[in-house]
Amino acid sequence: MEVLKSSRCIVFVFLVGAFYCQVSALLNLTLPGQHPDPESVAQDSYRRVNESMSRRQMLSYTSSEQSSTCFTGNPMDDCWRCDPNWQLNRQRLADCAIGFGQYALGGKGGRYYVVTDSSDHDAVNPKPGTLRYAVIQTEPLWIVFPSNMLIHLSQELIFNSYKTLDGRGANVHITGGGCITLQYINNVIIHNIHIHHCYQSGETNVRSSPTHYGWRTLSDGDGISIFGSRDIWIDHCSLSNCKDGLIDAIMGSTAITISNSIFSHHNKRMPRCRRGYIHVVNNDFTRWEMYAIGGSASPTINSQGNRYIASFDNDAKEVTKRLDTSDEEWMNWNWRSEGDIMVNGAFFVASGQDVGVKYEKAYSVEPKSAADIDLLTLNAGVLRSRGNKLVKWTGDGSGADFDSNSDGFDDYDDYSESKKRYTNNSILTTFLTILTIFLFLHDTTTSLI
């Protein structure tokens, strides 16, 4: 009897230990707040941008057609767009990220899944052909769209690991209840997708895999909610007008790159992170009120080559905000800005070791650097088909047919499912840039007189 009791105790201790290990792994409890060498990751990104810019400058002296369609100075875009037949190998995109999220595989190596049904009527038993049916599958999938789609979610869209949303060639809008949730998963790429007007949902069952569904409480209403997940790359997306945050990365979520995207029309937060390593590169930030980038619990943030355009509200000029911490604590966090351009009084409060020496350019961008960033952020957000030779997925397994995509609606100020050919965001950006230049020239002239 004593032997039996001892055996049961051993088994119990083993099971508790195994459970603790699994929970710790899911929650990334052993993840340190600071990246061991964020400088090396920043320098690698800087090197790649410089190489791409150098190639572009060399080609600018030639009259070849390629010089105008390739080598934009953006290494992530050049990686796949320089191939005139890129549509024959869409999965090349998975090799193109830089920064902390550069190892995100997405659905690389998996089969292509074509979304043919834009409906989302049943969050527990989604129909084959819908986006919800695709993202819950356990196998790697490269998800593509054969035409323009507005997908109005009934509940939050819960992903499984190893998925790519590839919206190239179509105007794909995701809106509605909860929007995108990445929870305890890894290796996801979201590319060329509009995400906007997301609101709270929940208090119902939602499926997260082919074999599991469960009760979901009320969601926050984030555009993209990243919870306990890693190896994520969000690229060429446009996010705006969400109930809570546009991107929220918490519970140790790490190894994330957010690039070439537009964040606008929001009064609370844009990318916010807690603990993990976040790389923010070549994005366009406009119209924030509380902050553009927020964080808590000692995350590592590299901001490189972004354009931050502040509003005319004097209380909404700061790009950064540290939450739930004292000044003495956050001064040691690695928050770095390099080559960013600040417009209309925007400013980035950097922190970390040697920040005053290495990152002083965060507050004073040279004119040449500013011009380069204007070039790098020119194609921020969802890529338009016109002039870019983006091709729709034809559903034949190769995507080889060239089929020019028609314009979709691009601005969401007064979202009513109507098309708008030009964006108010681009008009504001142009106006602020011209106004800044005018004020600079006026001050210079006055000082000379």
Side-chain angles (χ1 to χ4, degrees):
M1 180 65 68
E2 293 297 324
V3 173
L4 180 60
K5 287 182 179 179
S6 298
S7 300
R8 286 176 176 173
C9 287
I10 291 170
V11 170
F12 176 76
V13 170
F14 174 79
L15 290 175
V16 170
F19 175 76
Y20 175 78
C21 290
Q22 288 180 349
V23 172
S24 297
L26 284 174
L27 298 180
N28 291 319
L29 294 180
T30 58
L31 176 69
Q34 299 296 322
H35 191 279
D37 192 6
E39 179 67 18
S40 65
V41 181
Q43 289 302 318
D44 178 64
S45 301
Y46 189 70
R47 176 185 59 80
R48 296 194 197 185
V49 170
N50 275 346
E51 288 176 354
S52 185
M53 289 295 294
S54 296
R55 286 193 296 266
R56 176 182 174 82
Q57 289 167 0
M58 289 176 62
L59 282 171
S60 66
Y61 295 108
T62 71
S63 58
S64 65
E65 181 182 352
Q66 187 185 35
S67 65
S68 63
T69 59
C70 188
F71 296 121
T72 62
N74 185 327
M76 291 164 281
D77 287 356
D78 295 349
C79 175
W80 62 271
R81 295 181 75 181
C82 286
D83 179 1
N85 297 312
W86 64 265
Q87 74 281 358
L88 301 178
N89 182 18
R90 283 176 173 259
Q91 296 192 12
R92 166 67 178 164
L93 179 68
D95 302 323
C96 297
I98 64 175
F100 294 134
Q102 63 185 294
Y103 301 113
L105 294 175
K108 184 178 181 181
R111 64 187 177 90
Y112 289 96
Y113 180 100
V114 183
V115 178
T116 56
D117 187 341
S118 63
S119 69
D120 186 49
H121 302 310
D122 193 334
V124 175
N125 298 298
K127 292 168 54 180
T130 61
L131 178 59
R132 186 177 297 276
Y133 185 89
V135 300
I136 65 172
Q137 302 305 311
T138 55
E139 63 177 303
L141 290 177
W142 199 275
I143 302 167
V144 293
F145 303 84
S147 61
N148 297 345
M149 284 191 181
L150 170 62
I151 299 173
H152 190 93
L153 299 173
S154 59
Q155 298 293 332
E156 56 184 323
L157 189 68
I158 304 177
F159 275 55
N160 215 324
S161 296
Y162 296 98
K163 300 293 180 291
T164 294
L165 289 193
D166 183 356
R168 288 174 292 180
N171 261 310
V172 180
H173 292 248
I174 294 177
T175 183
C179 284
I180 292 175
T181 296
L182 312 179
Q183 182 171 317
Y184 300 138
I185 61 170
N186 58 81
N187 288 282
V188 169
I189 297 173
I190 301 175
H191 182 83
N192 222 56
I193 304 290
H194 300 267
I195 301 167
H196 56 97
H197 290 88
C198 303
Y199 50 78
Q200 292 179 299
S201 65
E203 303 300 336
T204 188
N205 288 317
V206 179
R207 185 169 295 277
S208 58
S209 77
T211 58
H212 177 266
Y213 68 87
W215 183 261
R216 303 291 294 183
T217 57
L218 191 66
S219 67
D220 290 334
D222 294 320
I224 301 176
S225 176
I226 308 173
F227 190 97
S229 299
R230 62 182 304 126
D231 295 310
I232 311 295
W233 182 28
I234 300 166
D235 186 53
H236 276 297
C237 290
S238 295
L239 297 99
S240 68
N241 291 296
C242 292
K243 172 66 176 178
D244 194 43
L246 297 184
I247 297 179
D248 202 7
I250 61 172
M251 288 301 292
S253 295
T254 190
I256 299 169
T257 291
I258 302 168
S259 57
N260 302 309
S261 295
I262 291 178
F263 299 90
S264 66
H265 299 83
H266 203 262
N267 63 1
K268 192 175 182 184
R269 66 179 177 258
M270 294 183 185
R272 180 201 172 189
C273 53
R274 188 172 186 271
R275 283 206 177 101
Y277 320 140
I278 315 294
H279 216 109
V280 184
V281 58
N282 291 4
N283 299 286
D284 224 346
F285 294 84
T286 62
R287 305 187 193 183
W288 69 84
E289 291 188 13
M290 286 182 63
Y291 53 86
I293 295 178
S296 60
S298 189
T300 296
I301 298 175
N302 278 358
S303 173
Q304 290 183 285
N306 301 284
R307 178 168 56 187
Y308 296 99
I309 305 175
S311 70
F312 291 99
D313 183 352
N314 289 328
D315 295 326
K317 301 294 188 183
E318 184 176 348
V319 171
T320 52
K321 184 175 178 63
R322 279 80 170 177
L323 300 129
D324 307 321
T325 188
S326 64
D327 292 353
E328 292 76 16
E329 267 189 271
W330 67 252
M331 286 298 293
N332 295 317
W333 296 0
N334 287 321
W335 285 32
R336 310 182 173 215
S337 171
E338 185 173 34
D340 292 327
I341 181 172
M342 308 292 166
V343 181
N344 201 33
F347 64 97
F348 187 113
V349 178
S351 57
Q353 295 180 349
D354 301 324
V355 70
V357 176
K358 293 184 179 179
Y359 300 99
E360 58 185 8
K361 288 187 178 180
Y363 303 90
S364 178
V365 180
E366 298 172 1
K368 181 176 182 300
S369 300
D372 288 345
I373 293 167
D374 282 339
L375 176 65
L376 292 178
T377 58
L378 180 64
N379 290 319
V382 172
L383 294 168
R384 298 172 67 88
S385 60
R386 181 169 294 175
N388 289 327
K389 296 185 177 177
L390 293 182
V391 292
K392 287 182 182 178
W393 179 265
T394 60
D396 61 0
S398 68
D401 295 342
F402 284 83
D403 185 5
S404 178
N405 182 38
S406 60
D407 289 341
F409 46 95
D410 296 308
D411 195 52
Y412 326 120
D413 284 328
D414 300 305
Y415 175 61
S416 61
E417 301 185 12
S418 63
K419 297 185 178 181
K420 294 185 179 181
R421 188 173 296 273
Y422 300 107
T423 68
N424 293 333
N425 182 43
S426 63
I427 296 171
L428 176 65
T429 300
T430 303
F431 171 76
L432 289 177
T433 303
I434 294 172
L435 179 62
T436 302
I437 294 171
F438 173 80
L439 292 175
F440 173 79
L441 292 175
H442 179 267
D443 291 343
T444 303
T445 306
T446 304
S447 62
L448 289 175
I449 293 173

